[in-house]
Amino acid sequence: MRLFLILLGLGARFCSTLVYSTFVDSDTDEAAAKKYASEGFEIVFSDEFNTPDRQFKDGDDPTWTALDKNDYTNAALHYYKDTAISTSDGMMKIKTDFGVNTFKAKNEKTGAFTRKNKYYTSGQVQTWNKFCFTGGIIEVSASPPGHPSIGGLWPAIWMMGNLARATYVGSSDWMWPWSYDECEEKNQESQLISKCAVNPHFDLLSHSGRGAPEIDIFEGMAGPSEKLPNTKIKKPYFSTSLQVSPGVQNPRPVLTHKPLDGKWYEGMSYGTNSSLNNFFYGVQLKHTPEQYTYQSDAISANTAIEPKEYSRQHVFKVDWRPNDSITWYLDDVFLYKISQPNLNITGSKIPDEPMYLILNTAISSTWGFPTKTDSCKCTSYDCSDPSCTCAFPTGFCDNIPSSFDVDWVRIYQHSEAINLGCSTKDKPTRKYIQGNEEKFKRPEDDVPIKSVRRGGGDCDVDGECGGGGKCDNGGCVCGEGYTGPMCLAEDKEYPGGTFLDETDETIEVEGVHLPAIFLGVMFLLVVVLVAACCKRVTERRERMGRYEYIKVGETEGYKSGGRYDRASSNRV
Ligand SMILES: *[C@@H]1O[C@H](CO)[C@@H](O)[C@H](O)[C@H]1NC(C)=O
Ligand SMILES: *[C@@H]1O[C@H](CO)[C@@H](O)[C@H](O)[C@H]1NC(C)=O
Ligand SMILES: *[C@@H]1O[C@H](CO)[C@@H](O)[C@H](O)[C@H]1NC(C)=O
């Protein structure tokens, strides 16, 4: 029987590698699916956004979750609403608009909570803990929002390791953007899951340094075309970056200046219209005591783009080869490449963590905004507040509402390197997330993300329910292959045998039956070993296992967010 189960498991794995991935949109045409076939790549994910009126609220979609929360990172001036995300005209639209949103902010001095307003509503969708991949070619066709010569909107297409959830600041402390697999005394406290750790909790592997590195595929910087310091790049431009820790220690490059020879990452390649981003080198994530503080680095390039080209659909592409290289392209034209040897100054790695996708438009006083002078009394950043005229980039208030239109997203992997899943055998994340749910959810949520609701959405006639679904007693009933309250989303799931740790575990449990007495003895042994652990391990576990960030996401101001504070070229 046991042998049969093992064979069944192996058989299922073998067969599934022959089956077309179920994360591929049925609307993706043959030519797109086979774009890299001659190089041995197959399509493993796509979303064409052809179905109108799809919903992305928590629990609506098997691939994407739209956030509904305040953004506490990077001096954000917007509030994310799930209603800002929609599909129409064959695209996903991320709308930025006016809208008063009240949130709780903590005064760091008094500890008291006060209500504060934000005056812009925007959107962010992420595939966090739903769809992740390790390596491959990712292509996103999108047109940035707003006018190319007006600054202040910050559209972004990016990826982050699944161990941190973007904008949930508690999840990124000591996790973002580590990409380091060396055991070193000086980093042991600041890298939460250090290679030095033996038998860490949550099924994490021994001697396996982990983190949540960031790859930025596109970050748009619109604005007037004027000379910027120490670069040939003018606005509008966009940034393409790898963000990793540990970072370069002193001397750090001075903002707007080029790094000193031998004191920064070297050997990267740049395309004709791209050059080193001298406006952002990373941030220091300050913590007390001192050994918890660490530096993140942004190894970043800027690419100038013609104003008339800025707001059109373009294909932003990254070829990510874990442990090896990352190459960025615009409409298949080379922009920038970082290879593993270029990171030798710190020894960080070209990421090999399972990563998820993020699409959003932010508004931040650190992105394309003018430096606020002492005479500028604006605090609200409200377009209807006359005292704020001095605080905005020229034309900012007329640039809203605007829409970031994403036509499609496609991902390809080499057929011999198919590696899908947010928690893989080599890089498990599932139990860590389960054991630290508080860090990944809003305080009022029961769970970080709800399971997808299949049918049940309000309807009057069959036609309102997608995928040939029926309207039964005022509620949609989905046909096969469709899900979501209105059955408008194709049901997505990983093909079996894609190294999901869940699959592996099932096979193990089915295949290996250990006697209960043996398990009991092992358990006691573990208890004794744990009890014998030194103080440092206890401290570490407390940081990892319990929520000492009780007010996760409730504190305003600078935070080691999924993103970072950074100076824009205007702040020179
Ligand atoms: C560089 O920019 C110029 C001016 O916008 C454009 O004509 C040219 O095609 C670009 N070159 C590449 C390689 O993208
Ligand atoms: C990257 O290298 C590490 C060893 O440093 C290896 O364990 C891992 O499997 C590699 N990952 C990939 C995706 O090649
Ligand atoms: C690090 O790599 C660069 C090329 O990326 C090379 O020029 C340099 O010599 C290397 N340094 C060391 C210490 O290996």
Side-chain angles (χ1 to χ4, degrees):
M1 180 63 189
R2 203 199 300 174
L3 184 65
F4 171 75
L5 283 170
I6 294 172
L7 288 176
L8 197 72
L10 289 176
R13 280 180 156 209
F14 177 71
C15 291
S16 63
T17 59
L18 304 175
V19 175
Y20 214 50
S21 164
T22 50
F23 257 102
V24 176
D25 192 330
S26 62
D27 284 340
T28 301
D29 64 37
E30 183 83 3
K34 299 224 171 319
K35 180 166 175 186
Y36 299 100
S38 64
E39 292 154 61
F41 283 71
E42 57 188 86
I43 195 160
V44 292
F45 172 98
S46 63
D47 203 329
E48 305 290 331
F49 303 122
N50 285 352
T51 306
D53 302 320
R54 270 171 68 183
Q55 297 157 301
F56 299 96
K57 279 203 316 288
D58 186 14
D60 282 356
D61 192 84
T63 309
W64 307 96
T65 310
L67 300 189
D68 204 71
K69 69 189 286 290
N70 187 31
D71 185 355
Y72 292 91
T73 63
N74 306 312
L77 299 176
H78 58 275
Y79 189 101
Y80 285 133
K81 296 289 281 181
D82 51 25
T83 48
I85 311 289
S86 62
T87 51
S88 58
D89 313 319
M91 293 184 238
M92 172 185 271
K93 298 193 174 172
I94 301 170
K95 197 173 176 194
T96 304
D97 206 347
F98 300 110
V100 182
N101 300 281
T102 304
F103 66 100
K104 275 191 291 180
K106 188 176 167 188
N107 182 318
E108 291 296 351
K109 281 189 199 121
T110 64
F113 283 89
T114 51
R115 298 202 160 266
K116 285 201 152 193
N117 284 338
K118 283 196 171 178
Y119 296 90
Y120 309 94
T121 294
S122 196
Q124 178 175 107
V125 280
Q126 41 180 241
T127 68
W128 178 78
N129 227 18
K130 286 182 170 177
F131 175 80
C132 307
F133 63 111
T134 309
I137 297 172
I138 164 166
E139 296 190 342
V140 180
S141 177
S143 63
H147 195 280
S149 65
I150 300 177
L153 295 176
W154 183 358
I157 303 168
W158 50 301
M159 295 158 33
M160 191 153 86
N162 198 54
L163 283 170
R165 186 176 188 190
T167 83
Y168 292 75
V169 289
S171 68
S172 62
D173 284 338
W174 303 294
M175 196 65 92
W176 176 88
W178 282 99
S179 187
Y180 194 57
D181 195 29
E182 302 291 333
C183 173
E184 255 188 65
E185 183 81 32
K186 69 172 157 53
N187 295 321
Q188 261 196 69
E189 304 303 342
S190 54
Q191 182 178 14
L192 187 51
I193 307 174
S194 156
K195 192 187 180 71
C196 310
V198 185
N199 298 323
H201 291 241
F202 311 117
D203 280 359
L204 297 168
L205 309 181
S206 286
H207 302 297
S208 174
R210 302 290 304 277
E214 176 174 335
I215 298 174
D216 300 310
I217 304 172
F218 165 84
E219 294 184 273
M221 173 71 85
S225 172
E226 62 206 8
K227 171 93 184 84
L228 299 172
N230 306 319
T231 179
K232 61 179 181 179
I233 304 284
K234 290 182 171 182
K235 291 178 187 171
Y237 65 76
F238 64 93
S239 306
T240 48
S241 323
L242 168 65
Q243 302 201 50
V244 287
S245 278
V248 169
Q249 299 299 328
N250 292 327
R252 300 226 11 117
V254 177
L255 217 57
T256 80
H257 291 268
K258 295 274 146 90
L260 302 174
D261 281 349
K263 304 294 181 194
W264 189 246
Y265 304 84
E266 288 177 353
M268 296 80 79
S269 327
Y270 298 88
T272 317
N273 293 332
S274 308
S275 60
L276 180 138
N277 180 356
N278 53 330
F279 303 123
F280 186 64
Y281 291 111
V283 288
Q284 192 181 50
L285 297 116
K286 286 205 176 67
H287 295 284
T288 40
E290 232 265 302
Q291 67 266 33
Y292 291 94
T293 291
Y294 63 105
Q295 178 70 44
S296 77
D297 280 347
I299 309 157
S300 178
N302 288 331
T303 299
I305 185 164
E306 287 284 312
K308 66 173 171 22
E309 285 290 320
Y310 182 80
S311 326
R312 292 197 195 151
Q313 284 286 326
H314 290 285
V315 177
F316 301 98
K317 165 164 118 183
V318 161
D319 180 347
W320 164 33
R321 305 188 180 194
N323 297 339
D324 180 77
S325 62
I326 308 172
T327 314
W328 285 261
Y329 300 84
L330 170 66
D331 299 321
D332 287 323
V333 174
F334 168 77
L335 301 177
Y336 183 43
K337 180 173 184 178
I338 303 175
S339 302
Q340 185 61 60
N342 307 151
L343 307 181
N344 61 10
I345 188 168
T346 61
S348 62
K349 299 194 342 167
I350 296 290
D352 67 342
E353 287 280 340
M355 294 180 104
Y356 61 99
L357 291 167
I358 305 158
L359 308 169
N360 66 274
T361 303
I363 301 172
S364 159
S365 55
T366 66
W367 190 262
F369 273 59
T371 308
K372 224 166 76 179
T373 58
D374 289 345
S375 60
C376 186
K377 299 292 176 219
C378 170
T379 53
S380 68
Y381 287 96
D382 176 5
C383 279
S384 65
D385 178 348
S387 78
C388 283
T389 317
C390 54
F392 292 119
T394 309
F396 175 80
C397 296
D398 297 327
N399 209 22
I400 290 172
S402 67
S403 177
F404 183 18
D405 295 343
V406 182
D407 193 354
W408 47 259
V409 180
R410 297 172 189 149
I411 300 175
Y412 306 81
Q413 288 184 325
H414 197 279
S415 55
E416 276 156 27
I418 303 290
N419 194 346
L420 300 174
C422 291
S423 184
T424 64
K425 199 171 81 189
D426 288 347
K427 307 280 175 193
T429 68
R430 190 164 52 93
K431 294 230 168 122
Y432 173 80
I433 291 166
Q434 281 171 359
N436 293 276
E437 283 195 342
E438 295 302 318
K439 298 182 185 181
F440 296 92
K441 65 183 197 64
R442 301 177 307 176
E444 64 267 37
D445 293 328
D446 294 333
V447 288
I449 42 179
K450 294 181 187 147
S451 20
V452 177
R453 195 168 141 215
R454 186 158 185 260
D458 291 345
C459 59
D460 295 316
V461 292
D462 290 350
E464 289 176 74
C465 311
K470 297 255 174 295
C471 186
D472 184 24
N473 281 322
C476 285
V477 178
C478 299
E480 188 163 354
Y482 289 85
T483 188
M486 304 300 287
C487 318
L488 291 166
E490 281 185 7
D491 222 341
K492 301 285 177 92
E493 63 181 39
Y494 294 106
T498 47
F499 321 127
L500 269 174
D501 71 339
E502 225 153 344
T503 319
D504 286 319
E505 196 173 73
T506 318
I507 288 169
E508 249 171 54
V509 171
E510 282 169 354
V512 188
H513 292 281
L514 295 171
I517 177 80
F518 179 75
L519 286 175
V521 170
M522 288 298 284
F523 177 74
L524 280 176
L525 204 64
V526 168
V527 168
V528 169
L529 280 174
V530 166
C533 275
C534 64
K535 184 161 169 287
R536 171 178 278 168
V537 171
T538 313
E539 265 174 28
R540 175 162 218 97
R541 189 185 53 194
E542 280 180 356
R543 282 203 291 149
M544 291 175 59
R546 294 199 343 236
Y547 14 109
E548 79 188 43
Y549 330 93
I550 296 159
K551 300 299 177 195
V552 170
E554 289 292 351
T555 309
E556 201 201 8
Y558 176 77
K559 270 285 189 179
S560 54
R563 319 219 61 204
Y564 35 76
D565 277 293
R566 66 167 106 193
S568 80
S569 48
N570 274 340
R571 287 162 64 87
V572 181

